[in-house]
Amino acid sequence: MKLQNGRPADTTGRLEKELRCYDLLDRLGVPYERVDHAPAMTMEVCQEIDCVLNAVICKNLFLCNRQKTASYLLTMPGGKPFQTKVLSAQLGTTRLSFAPPELMESMLRCTPGSASVLGLAYDTERRVRLVMDRAVHDAAWFGCHPCKNDASLRLRTEDLLHVFLPHTGHDVTVVDL
């Protein structure tokens, strides 16, 4: 694994949704570094990638309420346990659970293991509420996948919060987990 600046020079075999992430970040003037790697299906695998990125790849959970009328993308440190009761209480909502993969794919164009805040660019109807743990929100760097889990990016959290999210029209709700 090698840290590289920006988009790959050779895009052969890259998925359109990945390339669209790079296109958008480039268009917005958001600098990023990238590392390509084998598919990262667990947070343990992401720890190796974290060392190369010199940033922590966040745990991203796609959640919904029982009726599936409200959807949430939770971004939190990988080492923190997820406690639905704690999160639901802070959001003032009914108990949340993992959303069906097909719902995540239709809203964010991400599949399980690749959920990413960058997928919010596809949520043009703003049906997904971004929820971010304070530790992630306050960190200098933000690590994520470009809507697929065999590449990881590092960008400044400030750029995510003040350039990317305003572009997509999404607000962030900060919680303490």
Side-chain angles (χ1 to χ4, degrees):
M1 286 186 287
K2 180 182 173 190
L3 192 62
Q4 301 176 49
N5 282 318
R7 68 183 308 117
D10 180 9
T11 59
T12 306
R14 304 274 179 167
L15 297 178
E16 179 186 344
K17 63 184 176 181
E18 175 188 10
L19 297 176
R20 288 183 69 185
C21 286
Y22 303 141
D23 291 343
L24 179 56
L25 292 173
D26 292 344
R27 194 167 57 249
L28 294 174
V30 173
Y32 58 94
E33 295 172 295
R34 183 192 89 257
V35 63
D36 296 318
H37 49 76
M41 296 301 292
T42 66
M43 290 311 299
E44 291 75 26
V45 173
C46 287
Q47 288 175 345
E48 288 179 51
I49 301 162
D50 292 349
C51 292
V52 176
L53 280 179
N54 197 22
V56 176
I57 297 173
C58 302
K59 182 189 312 185
N60 294 287
L61 305 176
F62 191 64
L63 309 166
C64 65
N65 62 359
R66 189 180 329 240
Q67 301 81 12
K68 295 181 180 67
T69 56
S71 299
Y72 303 84
L73 178 63
L74 171 63
T75 301
M76 61 186 289
K80 276 193 178 180
F82 170 60
Q83 296 175 319
T84 184
K85 184 178 179 180
V86 172
L87 178 61
S88 298
Q90 287 189 50
L91 296 176
T93 186
T94 59
R95 196 97 177 225
L96 299 174
S97 61
F98 292 100
E102 55 276 1
L103 187 61
M104 178 172 57
E105 181 133 19
S106 72
M107 292 182 167
L108 301 178
R109 298 201 185 156
C110 297
T111 55
S114 69
S116 173
V117 69
L118 298 180
L120 292 172
Y122 293 104
D123 180 32
T124 57
E125 296 176 23
R126 294 170 193 84
R127 298 178 294 165
V128 179
R129 181 174 172 187
L130 177 61
V131 180
M132 192 176 283
D133 182 78
R134 186 169 309 282
V136 172
H137 180 271
D138 294 348
W141 296 100
F142 186 85
C144 64
H145 298 305
C147 295
K148 62 186 207 84
N149 66 355
D150 62 356
S152 297
L153 307 180
R154 176 178 90 155
L155 53 140
R156 290 189 337 232
T157 306
E158 180 178 304
D159 287 336
L160 176 74
L161 297 173
H162 301 294
V163 179
F164 179 81
L165 291 177
H167 173 79
T168 68
H170 289 84
D171 295 321
V172 62
T173 301
V174 180
V175 295
D176 294 297
L177 299 175

